[in-house]
C-alpha cells in the first residue's frame, strides 16, 4: 500500500538563516473507482481506508444503500515506473448493477445547480430522513470534541496537511476518525466505516470536521441520517439552507468554549 506521507527537499528561510532539509508531506494520489470493470470516477485522496472511502462515496451518491450492496472490492493491477503495484485502482462488484455511464454526481456538480435544485435533490434522495427528536449533546461536551479530534490526527501531526472527520457518541466517545487530503474524502471514510459497522442510519451520532462546513459535507451528513454536524470553521450559505431544510443541527466556528449555532439548536443542551 502506498505510504500516507512522503519526504521532499525544502529550503527553509527564517531569521536564523537559510537551511536545506527534508520535509514530511501528506501524500496525494488518484483513486480510480470502477464498477464491474468500468470506470465510475477518479478522486484525489490520501491512500488508506480506501474501502471505507468507496462505501461512503457510493452511499452519498445513492448508488448503494448498505454495505451488503457491495459484493467484492479488490485492487486492480496498476504499477508505477518501478513496477510496484500502486493500489490506485479499486474495482467493485455490486449486488445490483447500475448504469454508471448515465450517472451525474451531485458532489461534483453542485456548483452548477441553483440552491433550490440542490436542496430538493438531497431531500428526495436521502434514505434516512433526520427525525426532529433524535440525539442531543451538551454544549460542554461538544466544545471538547475538536481537541479530541486533533489529538488523534497522527498524520496531521507529522505533515500539517490533512483534514479530519470524526464520529462521536453524545457522551463524547470517539468511534472513528479518518484523515485525508480532501475534506469530503475524510467524511466519506467515516461514513463508510459506519456503514460497514451497521451504524447507518446514524441518528445517534455526531459528525465533527476539522474544516469548514460546505454544502457537500452537509449533504453527506444528511444522506447518512447524522443529526449533528459541527465544524471548526465557517459553514457556507447553502450548507445552512440544507441543514434548515433537513432538520440537521449545524454548528460552526467550534473553537474552545465558543460556537455558532446555525440550525437545530434544540439538540444542544
Amino acid at each position: 500500500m502506498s505510504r500516507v506521507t512522503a519526504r521532499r527537499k525544502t529550503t527553509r528561510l527564517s531569521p536564523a538563516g537559510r537551511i536545506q532539509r527534508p520535509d514530511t508531506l501528506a501524500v496525494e494520489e488518484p483513486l480510480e473507482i470502477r464498477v464491474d470493470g468500468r470506470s465510475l470516477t477518479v478522486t484525489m485522496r490520501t491512500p488508506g481506508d480506501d474501502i471505507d472511502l468507496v462505501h461512503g462515496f457510493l452511499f452519498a451518491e445513492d448508488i448503494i444503500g448498505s454495505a451488503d450492496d457491495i459484493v467484492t472490492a479488490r485492487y486492480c493491477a496498476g504499477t508505477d515506473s518501478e513496477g510496484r503495484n500502486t493500489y490506485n485502482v479499486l474495482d467493485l462488484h455490486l449486488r445490483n448493477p447500475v448504469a454508471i455511464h448515465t450517472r451525474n454526481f451531485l458532489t461534483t456538480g453542485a456548483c452548477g445547480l441553483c440552491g433550490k435544485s440542490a436542496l430538493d435533490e438531497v431531500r428526495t434522495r436521502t434514505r434516512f430522513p433526520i427525525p426532529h427528536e433524535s440525539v442531543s449533546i451538551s454544549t460542554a461536551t461538544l466544545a471538547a470534541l475538536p481537541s479530541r479530534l486533533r489529538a488523534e490526527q497522527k498524520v496531521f501531526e507529522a505533515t500539517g496537511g490533512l483534514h479530519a472527520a470524526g464520529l462521536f457518541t453524545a457522551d463524547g466517545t470517539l468511534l472513528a476518525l479518518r484523515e485525508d487530503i480532501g475534506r469530503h474524502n475524510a467524511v466519506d471514510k467515516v461514513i463508510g466505516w459506519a456503514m460497514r459497522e451497521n451504524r447507518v442510519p446514524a441518528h445517534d451520532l455526531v459528525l465533527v470536521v476539522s474544516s469548514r462546513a460546505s454544502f457537500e459535507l452537509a449533504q453527506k451528513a444528511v444522506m447518512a441520517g447524522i443529526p449533528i454536524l459541527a465544524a471548526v470553521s465557517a459553514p457556507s450559505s447553502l450548507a445552512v439552507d440544507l441543514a434548515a431544510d433537513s432538520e440537521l443541527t449545524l454548528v460552526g466556528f467550534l473553537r474552545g468554549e465558543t460556537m455558532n449555532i446555525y440550525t437545530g439548536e434544540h439538540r444542544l443542551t
Side-chain angles (χ1 to χ4, degrees), residues 10-250:
T10 184
T11 299
R12 180 176 177 83
L13 300 180
S14 72
R18 179 188 185 99
I19 303 174
Q20 290 189 332
R21 66 179 189 182
D23 193 17
T24 301
L25 305 177
V27 168
E28 182 178 24
E29 293 182 355
L31 176 67
E32 180 183 358
I33 301 173
R34 296 179 182 175
V35 175
D36 294 324
R38 300 182 62 186
S39 182
L40 177 66
T41 189
V42 176
T43 183
M44 300 303 297
R45 97 304 189 195
T46 299
D49 301 303
D50 289 336
I51 301 300
D52 286 342
L53 172 60
V54 296
H55 275 77
F57 174 77
L58 295 182
F59 175 75
E61 297 303 332
D62 202 27
I63 295 175
I64 63 173
S66 71
D68 290 339
D69 290 338
I70 297 180
V71 179
T72 59
R74 63 181 182 84
Y75 288 102
C76 300
T79 58
D80 59 18
S81 59
E82 299 180 8
R84 296 172 299 192
N85 195 319
T86 60
Y87 295 97
N88 284 340
V89 181
L90 194 58
D91 192 17
L92 311 171
H93 175 56
L94 302 186
R95 193 172 306 278
N96 299 305
V98 295
I100 63 172
H101 61 281
T102 61
R103 191 70 192 175
N104 293 317
F105 294 111
L106 180 61
T107 52
T108 58
C111 294
L113 295 171
C114 71
K116 187 64 165 63
S117 296
L119 300 182
D120 287 344
E121 185 168 349
V122 176
R123 185 176 59 248
T124 57
R125 290 192 315 152
T126 183
R127 300 167 187 254
F128 306 112
I130 299 171
H132 181 77
E133 299 298 333
S134 56
V135 69
S136 62
I137 187 171
S138 72
T139 54
T141 299
L142 186 63
L145 299 189
S147 61
R148 295 181 185 177
L149 190 75
R150 176 67 178 82
E152 297 298 323
Q153 290 181 248
K154 305 305 183 184
V155 183
F156 179 87
E157 184 69 28
T159 66
L162 292 183
H163 295 288
L167 285 174
F168 293 85
T169 60
D171 64 1
T173 300
L174 177 62
L175 298 181
L177 178 144
R178 297 292 185 267
E179 295 181 280
D180 200 276
I181 199 79
R183 63 176 68 89
H184 56 291
N185 289 338
V187 172
D188 278 340
K189 286 178 178 181
V190 291
I191 291 178
W193 171 87
M195 290 186 66
R196 296 194 302 107
E197 293 293 320
N198 199 30
R199 296 297 297 258
V200 173
H203 290 157
D204 59 339
L205 301 183
V206 178
L207 174 62
V208 179
V209 296
S210 65
S211 60
R212 63 184 178 88
S214 64
F215 169 81
E216 187 177 18
L217 300 196
Q219 172 240 339
K220 293 177 185 295
V222 170
M223 291 294 288
I226 298 172
I228 301 174
L229 168 61
V232 301
S233 193
S236 70
S237 62
L238 196 57
V240 175
D241 292 344
L242 174 60
D245 195 61
S246 306
E247 291 280 359
L248 172 68
T249 296
L250 180 58

